[in-house]
Amino acid sequence: MHENYMRYALNLAKQGGGKVSPNPLVGAVLVKEGRIIGEGYHEVYGANHAEVNAIKSASQKSEGATLYVTLEPCNHYGKTPPCTETIIQNKIMRVVVGMRDPNPLVAGSGIKRLEDAGIEVIVGILEEECRKLNEIFIKYITKQEPFVLLKAAMTLDGKIATVAGQSKWITGEASREMVHQLRNAYSGILVGIGTVIKDDPLLTCRLVSGRNPVIIVVDSTLRIPMSSKIIGGTSKVIIAAVKEIEEMAVDKVKKLEELGVKVLFIEAYKHRVNLKELMIQLGKLGIDSILIEGGAEVNASALEAGIVDKVQFYIAPQIVGGQAKTPVAGRGIADLEESIKVENLQIKRIGEDILLEGYIIQK
């Protein structure tokens, strides 16, 4: 019974995708005498939390009811008052929590406040599912760095383009739709300057009512053409260059800033942007998640730097052969013992394509 209601709350929570970051996705269900009398989710950043929306939607008094919520209710003043006080005031009898809140401002204090008020609290129902739902929030709130997903599309023989460089479209329409869902869900999208120069992409989200992620271009020597579509477009743009060229790039930086582009100068690693340092700086700017849609070189650099948390490889039922590019370039790894390992690998069908999704085992 608890799992059924919690699963319902999880599905509610997903409706806040792309609208609440850097807050977590949260769903809540109010149950009384064996039936749902109220439901809600965190809809927009800064607005009411899920618990409050569920209580406000109740078809009858909440007194004596059980509240199912995917994340521990907050017990502090932020954009909104503490949810614990609303729960107590409405005389809810029991609260069933999916997972404890990793936010240091909460971290068990919400549960304790409810228990001190005489409310029964049950914790850990569908906890694994609740944690996966908020994997972005968990990393960002505990490390102040963005959660990073590396996404790549390839043929059955592992190529991201033909020998002539043709890459549109390797995967099918369903997979491309998934990419726009990711762009809506993630705060930032990261590409290398090579992708910008070669493809001149817009990198926007094409979902109805979707949001455009912040575009982050890794451009060590600030080569970006001023005519690029992303400059002066509808998306916010951040360009990361190496610190050693800062004095030489004053004029170009001024022109870019006049067009609304933010330029970050980052300490170099092997004469390129230090991606680990870039993640720290992006975290300070409030970017909680990044989708990497770069080319093979950027993918290799990100994996080498250890910034990738999760990978998604979309595999299309096509074979092109030849010496065409693969999703990850770089120098490569000579010893299999040193290879980058992936865990919790899942396989899904996306239209005609296959999606392989897993998590990087950090060394």
Side-chain angles (χ1 to χ4, degrees):
M1 180 182 67
H2 289 330
E3 290 187 359
N4 289 338
Y5 288 128
M6 188 61 70
R7 192 165 283 112
Y8 189 92
L10 280 164
N11 287 330
L12 288 170
K14 293 173 184 176
Q15 296 181 50
K19 302 170 187 174
V20 302
S21 63
N23 278 357
L25 296 167
V26 185
V29 180
L30 198 60
V31 177
K32 190 172 183 179
E33 297 174 353
R35 66 185 186 90
I36 295 173
I37 63 168
E39 60 184 60
Y41 65 96
H42 187 26
E43 298 175 9
V44 180
Y45 175 71
N48 287 336
H49 289 185
E51 302 93 319
V52 174
N53 286 334
I55 292 169
K56 283 189 170 183
S57 75
S59 59
Q60 57 181 276
K61 287 185 178 181
S62 301
E63 184 175 355
T66 296
L67 178 69
Y68 291 83
V69 60
T70 56
L71 185 70
E72 175 184 359
C74 66
N75 190 44
H76 64 285
Y77 283 88
K79 294 283 184 182
T80 59
C83 291
T84 51
E85 298 309 312
T86 302
I87 293 168
I88 293 166
Q89 289 166 11
N90 282 271
K91 300 180 180 179
I92 288 170
M93 177 183 69
R94 180 188 299 111
V95 177
V96 181
V97 176
M99 62 170 283
R100 294 177 185 272
D101 193 335
N103 186 345
L105 292 174
V106 185
S109 67
I111 292 169
K112 185 177 185 304
R113 177 71 184 96
L114 295 174
E115 289 177 335
D116 288 348
I119 296 173
E120 180 188 358
V121 181
I122 299 171
V123 183
I125 304 299
L126 296 185
E127 182 173 358
E128 185 177 341
E129 289 91 331
C130 291
R131 293 186 69 83
K132 184 169 183 179
L133 175 72
N134 275 311
E135 58 193 10
I136 288 172
F137 172 73
I138 291 169
K139 182 180 180 183
Y140 185 67
I141 204 67
T142 56
K143 296 188 176 180
Q144 289 76 56
E145 293 180 22
F147 182 92
V148 179
L149 168 64
L150 188 156
K151 166 256 160 191
M154 71 187 88
T155 61
L156 196 60
D157 56 334
K159 306 299 193 300
I160 62 173
T162 66
V163 291
Q166 185 180 349
S167 60
K168 293 183 180 179
W169 295 103
I170 285 178
T171 52
E173 188 175 333
S175 292
R176 298 199 296 275
E177 175 75 10
M178 281 280 290
V179 171
H180 288 286
Q181 292 176 20
L182 290 172
R183 290 182 182 181
N184 178 59
Y186 279 67
S187 297
I189 181 169
L190 185 146
V191 297
I193 185 59
T195 296
V196 174
I197 291 173
K198 178 178 177 289
D199 299 333
D200 197 16
L202 280 171
L203 300 173
T204 52
C205 172
R206 293 167 201 164
L207 298 181
V208 176
S209 301
R211 67 166 182 177
N212 291 333
V214 176
I215 298 170
I216 301 140
V217 182
V218 179
D219 183 8
S220 296
T221 56
L222 214 57
R223 293 188 292 140
I224 190 165
M226 297 300 295
S227 60
S228 299
K229 290 177 183 177
I230 59 173
I231 296 178
T234 57
S235 303
K236 292 181 180 179
V237 179
I238 296 172
I239 299 176
V242 293
K243 207 170 186 65
E244 58 197 50
I245 71 157
E246 187 170 2
E247 292 183 6
M248 299 180 288
V250 172
D251 291 341
K252 188 163 188 178
V253 170
K254 184 178 179 182
K255 291 177 183 177
L256 288 166
E257 288 178 342
E258 286 173 352
L259 293 171
V261 176
K262 185 177 183 65
V263 180
L264 294 178
F265 288 100
I266 307 294
E267 294 292 344
Y269 174 73
K270 296 181 180 178
H271 306 294
R272 294 185 177 184
V273 170
N274 185 327
L275 294 181
K276 288 184 76 69
E277 179 61 26
L278 176 59
M279 293 304 107
I280 293 170
Q281 297 305 317
L282 294 175
K284 290 178 179 178
L285 293 174
I287 296 174
D288 67 349
S289 53
I290 291 174
L291 170 65
I292 297 180
E293 277 201 63
E297 293 295 338
V298 166
N299 292 346
S301 296
L303 288 165
E304 183 184 352
I307 66 168
V308 179
D309 297 290
K310 184 177 182 179
V311 292
Q312 284 189 348
F313 285 77
Y314 294 79
I315 302 174
Q318 302 183 58
I319 298 172
V320 298
Q323 298 300 312
K325 287 184 177 180
T326 61
V328 181
R331 295 172 301 168
I333 293 170
D335 187 347
L336 279 174
E337 290 298 319
E338 299 299 318
S339 66
I340 297 165
K341 305 295 194 301
V342 178
E343 63 182 353
N344 298 328
L345 191 67
Q346 292 190 342
I347 304 172
K348 303 174 185 176
R349 282 295 296 266
I350 309 293
E352 296 178 347
D353 305 323
I354 294 173
L355 169 60
L356 298 179
E357 177 183 273
Y359 295 83
I360 298 294
I361 299 175
Q362 301 297 343
K363 294 180 181 179

